[in-house]
């Protein structure tokens, strides 16, 4: 076991603060990674503040962070996929059972025995739960370590490991391509990646935002149209015209107003995970024969496919790079939808903490 610097929250009301955490010595199958950048996902904030307590209560202390990019520092003797010095990424998963039907289908993201990068019981017993990427170093089974294309801007790569795959996967799964009319709801970390991918896949892409000030950016990111969702007229005009809507909204909202925008057989896919259950009007679904579904990150093979696609098409997240010491201010801004469009923590700042 060795120690590394990290930031942790001790309770749902305490800020993140400097600490040290234990990491295991790499086993035969493990990769030890020096973390360079870690994105700040809204899920980090939901978890730190215990906003999902009814579904997944937070175990404290929590070290969040599942958008990790770093360099391989050490590998176990049986590791074949990575070598010392490689640029690599780690997303939301660090283990699964490898044997269930979903794992056999390369859907570790749907494995009932998956181990999350932070907050899951630690099978190696290094600590009570796994600790995430707001830290200097991490040790991960090689199966869950992704290859990072070397041509990409590193801080902007970190968010691909969660925001990237969480939007890429459903857009692929539900056939978003040229000729499809697609809407992305919410222009935050996930939403801005959704716009980049939908545009790259050739779809006609509309952003639905509560922030009129983001309209210009939305177009720069690849949107063909922008609708301010509080504009009832514009929403009415767009009724029954969309093939697919990707809902990335992190807070309570009326999903029926958006379901109404779908053509018959159109699909609204939830990736946003607000605290409270979402009321759905049966008539909105059945009168249009509309579909409502959800999607959770993506499997490891698809995450690698997404990273390779980003490398080939020069796609990264738009990031505001911050030192670790500014993480609590960043959380306050995230709650106000005030980030363009993802915070990435520079872990170099942690060494001097
Ligand atoms: P984020 O950066 O905060 O973006 C969320 C966006 O939602 C905001 O930028 C804002 O966009 C919009 N929004 C916020 N409050 C709203 C409201 N009251 N009504 C309508 N729109 C509102 O968050 P994120 O990191 O992208 O994460 C989004 C959600 O996805 C979170 O709940 C997170 O936990 C979840 N998530 C799920 C998965 C998964 O696998 N399914 C993976 C990662 C994250 P505008 O300013 O444009 O309105
Ligand atoms: Zn995330």
């Amino acid at each position: 076991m060795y120690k590394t610097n990290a930031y942790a929250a001790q309770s749902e009301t305490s800020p993140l603060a400097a600490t040290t955490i234990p990491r295991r010595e790499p086993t035969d199958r493990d990769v030890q990674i020096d973390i360079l950048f870690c994105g700040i996902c809204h899920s980090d904030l939901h978890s730190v503040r215990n906003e999902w307590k009814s579904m997944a209560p937070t175990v404290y202390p929590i070290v969040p962070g599942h958008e990790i990019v770093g360099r391989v520092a050490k590998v176990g003797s049986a590791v074949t996929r990575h070598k010392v010095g490689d640029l690599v990424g780690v997303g939301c998963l660090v283990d699964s059972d490898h044997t269930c039907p979903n794992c056999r289908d390369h859907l570790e993201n749907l494995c009932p025995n998956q181990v999350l990068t932070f907050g899951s019981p630690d099978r190696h017993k290094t600590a009570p739960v796994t600790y995430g990427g707001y830290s200097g170093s991490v040790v991960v089974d090689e199966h869950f370590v992704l290859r990072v294309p070397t041509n990409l801007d590193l801080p902007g790569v970190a968010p691909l490991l969660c925001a990237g795959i969480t939007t890429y996967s459903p857009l692929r799964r539900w056939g978003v391509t040229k000729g499809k009319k697609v809407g992305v709801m919410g222009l935050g970390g996930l939403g801005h990646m959704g716009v980049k991918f939908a545009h790259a896949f050739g779809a006609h892409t509309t952003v639905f935002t509560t922030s009129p000030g983001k309209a210009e950016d939305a177009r720069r990111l690849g949107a063909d149209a922008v609708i301010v969702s509080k504009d009832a007229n514009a929403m009415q005009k767009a009724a029954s015209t969309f093939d697919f809507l990707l809902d990335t909204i992190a807070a309570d909202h009326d999903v029926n107003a958006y379901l109404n925008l779908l053509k018959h057989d159109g699909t609204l896919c939830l990736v946003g995970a607000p605290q409270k259950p979402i009321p759905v009007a049966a008539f909105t679904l059945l009168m249009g024969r509309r579909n409502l579904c959800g999607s959770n990150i993506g499997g490891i093979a698809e995450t690698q496919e997404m990273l390779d696609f980003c490398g080939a098409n020069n796609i990264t997240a738009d990031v505001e790079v911050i030192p670790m010491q500014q993480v609590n201010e960043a959380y306050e801004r995230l709650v106000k939808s005030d980030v363009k469009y993802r915070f990435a923590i520079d872990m170099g700042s942690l060494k001097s903490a």
Side-chain angles (χ1 to χ4, degrees):
M1 226 150 65
Y2 67 101
K3 295 257 180 185
T4 185
N5 290 331
Y7 260 52
Q10 302 296 333
S11 79
E12 64 187 64
T13 52
S14 55
L16 289 150
T19 186
T20 55
I21 53 167
R23 295 292 194 193
R24 67 178 180 271
E25 286 300 334
T27 67
D28 288 359
R29 295 169 45 87
D30 281 336
V31 178
Q32 181 180 323
I33 302 162
D34 290 336
I35 301 177
L36 297 171
F37 296 95
C38 184
I40 298 181
C41 179
H42 208 114
S43 303
D44 300 350
L45 188 151
H46 288 308
S47 301
V48 164
R49 300 190 176 175
N50 208 4
E51 291 177 352
W52 291 332
K53 67 177 84 156
S54 57
M55 283 291 295
T58 300
V59 176
Y60 294 92
I62 173 179
V63 177
H66 58 206
E67 293 186 335
I68 296 169
V69 64
R71 207 172 277 286
V72 175
K74 244 188 214 181
V75 292
S77 57
V79 169
T80 57
R81 292 151 60 121
H82 308 284
K83 58 180 194 313
V84 172
D86 285 355
L87 276 178
V88 291
V90 177
C92 302
L93 297 172
V94 291
D95 209 352
S96 67
D97 63 24
H98 300 274
T99 53
C100 74
N102 295 341
C103 281
R104 287 204 300 269
D105 274 350
H106 305 287
L107 296 170
E108 301 87 345
N109 54 317
L110 306 180
C111 172
N113 299 307
Q114 62 186 214
V115 179
L116 298 173
T117 303
F118 64 84
S120 281
D122 180 1
R123 287 191 189 147
H124 296 267
K125 310 282 180 213
T126 317
V129 292
T130 52
Y131 293 141
Y134 294 9
S135 61
S137 167
V138 67
V139 178
V140 180
D141 181 303
E142 72 162 331
H143 180 75
F144 295 86
V145 177
L146 287 305
R147 292 181 306 276
V148 168
T150 50
N151 60 315
L152 297 175
D153 168 59
L154 273 192
V157 167
L160 301 178
L161 276 304
C162 174
I165 184 59
T166 301
T167 51
Y168 180 95
S169 181
L171 292 172
R172 283 291 198 216
R173 168 77 181 75
W174 277 279
V176 165
T177 62
K178 197 167 161 48
K180 294 285 161 106
K181 201 169 166 201
V182 171
V184 176
M185 298 158 54
L187 196 64
L190 266 57
H192 94 292
M193 289 311 308
V195 172
K196 289 188 186 205
F197 287 133
H199 174 73
F201 299 164
H204 183 281
T205 307
T206 300
V207 165
F208 291 90
T209 181
T210 59
S211 310
K214 292 181 181 174
E216 201 177 305
D217 278 346
R219 289 202 168 79
R220 177 180 56 78
L221 294 164
D224 301 286
V226 179
I227 293 179
V228 175
S229 51
K230 293 170 195 154
D231 180 346
N233 249 344
M235 292 292 277
Q236 196 46 49
K237 261 202 200 150
S240 306
T241 60
F242 282 84
D243 296 293
F244 185 77
L245 293 170
L246 187 65
D247 184 343
T248 78
I249 298 170
D252 292 342
H253 59 287
D254 176 17
V255 78
N256 301 291
Y258 298 92
L259 284 170
N260 194 45
L261 304 173
L262 293 171
K263 292 178 187 168
H264 71 80
D265 297 319
T267 297
L268 185 151
C269 181
L270 295 170
V271 287
Q275 197 167 357
K276 292 195 205 129
I278 295 175
V280 176
F283 273 86
T284 317
L285 284 182
L286 59 89
M287 289 310 288
R289 200 169 69 188
R290 296 169 170 126
N291 304 296
L292 174 62
C293 65
S295 187
N296 177 46
I297 45 173
I300 295 301
E302 193 178 36
T303 305
Q304 189 63 60
E305 175 192 308
M306 178 274 309
L307 285 169
D308 295 344
F309 180 86
C310 288
N313 294 278
N314 207 22
I315 292 174
T316 51
D318 286 27
V319 287
E320 294 189 39
V321 179
I322 59 161
M324 189 75 246
Q325 294 77 1
Q326 281 174 21
V327 66
N328 294 303
E329 288 92 317
Y331 273 36
E332 290 314 309
R333 285 184 51 200
L334 190 59
V335 171
K336 294 184 205 140
S337 306
D338 171 29
V339 46
K340 295 195 167 171
Y341 279 87
R342 195 58 136 189
F343 290 111
I345 304 165
D346 179 353
M347 284 305 158
S349 63
L350 195 57
K351 295 198 181 76
S352 56

